[in-house]
Amino acid sequence: MLKIESKLIFIVSALLLVAALSTYVVFGYHAGFIPLNTLGQLFPNAFWAATTLLGDTYVAVSLTFFLLAMHKRLLPAALIATLPATIIAQSFKRGMPIDRPSAVLDEQTFNQIGRVLEMGSFPSGHTMTAAVLVGLFIMFSQYPWQRMLMLCVLFMAGISRVMVGAHWPVDIMVGAAIGLLSAWLGYYIAHKYNLGTHWSSQLILFILPCYAAYRVFTHDGGYPQGHGFAIMITSLAIVYYLFNLVKRHRLCLTRRIQKLRFN
C-alpha cells in the first residue's frame, strides 16, 4: 500500500500534467503568460529573482543541508532522482527546442528579470529542480503541514519562472510533474536498496552539498538581485545542519554515559 506521501506526489503530478495538456489543447501553448507576468509586476523584481533561485541547481543541492543530519538516504535519493529528470528535460530541450517568451514576444510587452534566454523553453529546468527537492522533502516529511509548505514552495518557485519572463505556464507545470515523479523514484530506489547508509558513501556524497554551497556564495545564478537571499537561505541550512549534528552527538554521548553508569 502506498504511503500518503507517495499518493500526494502522484496526485499532484497527475493534476499538473492534466492542467498542462488542457491548457495547451484549449488555449494554446503561450496561454496565461502575459496575465501572470503582468500580475507579477505588483511585486519587486528582487522578490522574483530570489524566488526563482530556489530552482537553481546549486541552491537546491545546498538546501539538502536541512535534512542531511536526520536522513542518510537523502543524498543518494537526490542523486538518483536527477538522472531521469535530467535525461527527460534535456531530451525535450534538444529534441524540440521551443522558443522562450523573449524570442516570441516584444520585450516591451512583458517584464524580463535576470539573464535573457531564448531557446529550450520546454520543460522548465528550474521548476523541475525545485520539484525534485520539494518531492524529496515531502517523502522524508513527518507532518501534513510540512508537505503543504513544500507544495507552496514549489508553486512559488514555478510561478516565478513566468514572472521573470523565462518560461510559459505549460513549461512549469510539466517541469514540476517530472521533478516530483523523479524525486519519488529516487526515494524508492534509495530505500529499496538501502543506499548511502555506509559512512564512506556518506562522506563522498557529502562533497556535493558542500561544493554547491560554495558555488552559491560565489555565483549569482544569473539573478544578482536574488543572490543575497540565496546566500542567506544556504547559510541557514548549514547552521541548521550543524545544530542537528551537535544535538545528535550530544544525545549519543548522553546515552553512552548512562550505559556506563548502569554497568
Side-chain angles (χ1 to χ4, degrees):
M1 187 175 179
L2 288 175
K3 296 171 56 178
I4 184 65
E5 295 86 356
S6 298
K7 291 180 180 178
L8 180 62
I9 292 288
F10 290 138
I11 291 172
V12 172
S13 298
L15 290 174
L16 286 167
L17 291 175
V18 169
L21 181 60
S22 300
T23 300
Y24 173 70
V25 171
V26 178
F27 303 106
Y29 190 80
H30 301 156
F33 176 81
I34 292 296
L36 286 173
N37 184 268
T38 302
L39 183 64
Q41 295 178 43
L42 296 175
F43 297 86
N45 286 353
F47 173 79
W48 294 119
T51 306
T52 209
L53 282 175
L54 291 172
D56 179 82
T57 300
Y58 294 124
V59 174
V61 175
S62 298
L63 295 184
T64 59
F65 273 116
F66 275 118
L67 294 182
L68 278 186
M70 297 168 284
H71 301 286
K72 294 182 179 180
R73 295 189 183 93
L74 176 62
L75 285 180
L79 194 59
I80 295 168
T82 59
L83 294 178
T86 301
I87 291 172
I88 294 172
Q90 290 305 314
S91 296
F92 277 113
K93 286 180 178 293
R94 296 177 185 277
M96 43 184 294
I98 297 175
D99 290 337
R100 294 175 185 256
S102 58
V104 176
L105 304 173
D106 187 283
E107 62 179 10
Q108 302 298 325
T109 62
F110 70 101
N111 189 35
Q112 178 86 38
I113 304 171
R115 57 185 177 183
V116 177
L117 302 170
E118 296 186 349
M119 296 293 292
S121 187
F122 182 84
S124 169
H126 272 69
T127 306
M128 185 184 66
T129 300
V132 168
L133 178 70
V134 165
L136 289 172
F137 274 41
I138 287 175
M139 294 305 296
F140 284 103
S141 65
Q142 295 180 327
Y143 305 105
W145 70 266
Q146 293 173 329
R147 296 188 279 273
M148 292 303 103
L149 176 62
M150 287 298 99
L151 289 178
C152 289
V153 169
L154 177 56
F155 173 80
M156 293 303 297
I159 204 69
S160 72
R161 299 307 289 160
V162 174
M163 304 311 191
V164 300
H167 282 284
W168 311 103
V170 170
D171 300 334
I172 65 175
M173 288 186 277
V174 175
I178 294 173
L180 288 173
L181 293 173
S182 298
W184 179 87
L185 181 63
Y187 175 88
Y188 174 78
I189 294 176
H191 272 69
K192 182 177 177 62
Y193 297 101
N194 200 30
L195 301 177
T197 55
H198 193 271
W199 69 268
S200 58
S201 59
Q202 281 288 306
L203 183 61
I204 294 172
L205 289 171
F206 187 69
I207 296 173
L208 295 176
C210 290
Y211 176 72
Y214 163 75
R215 291 292 293 168
V216 170
F217 289 124
T218 58
H219 180 62
D220 62 20
Y223 296 93
Q225 290 174 298
H227 193 209
F229 169 77
I231 292 175
M232 180 188 71
I233 195 169
T234 297
S235 301
L236 182 63
I238 295 172
V239 170
Y240 187 78
Y241 167 77
L242 294 173
F243 171 78
N244 279 283
L245 195 65
V246 171
K247 185 179 178 180
R248 287 186 63 187
H249 280 291
R250 287 183 63 182
L251 183 60
C252 291
L253 182 61
T254 302
R255 288 175 179 173
R256 288 179 181 178
I257 293 174
Q258 289 176 345
K259 284 183 179 180
L260 290 173
R261 286 178 178 177
F262 284 116
N263 291 336

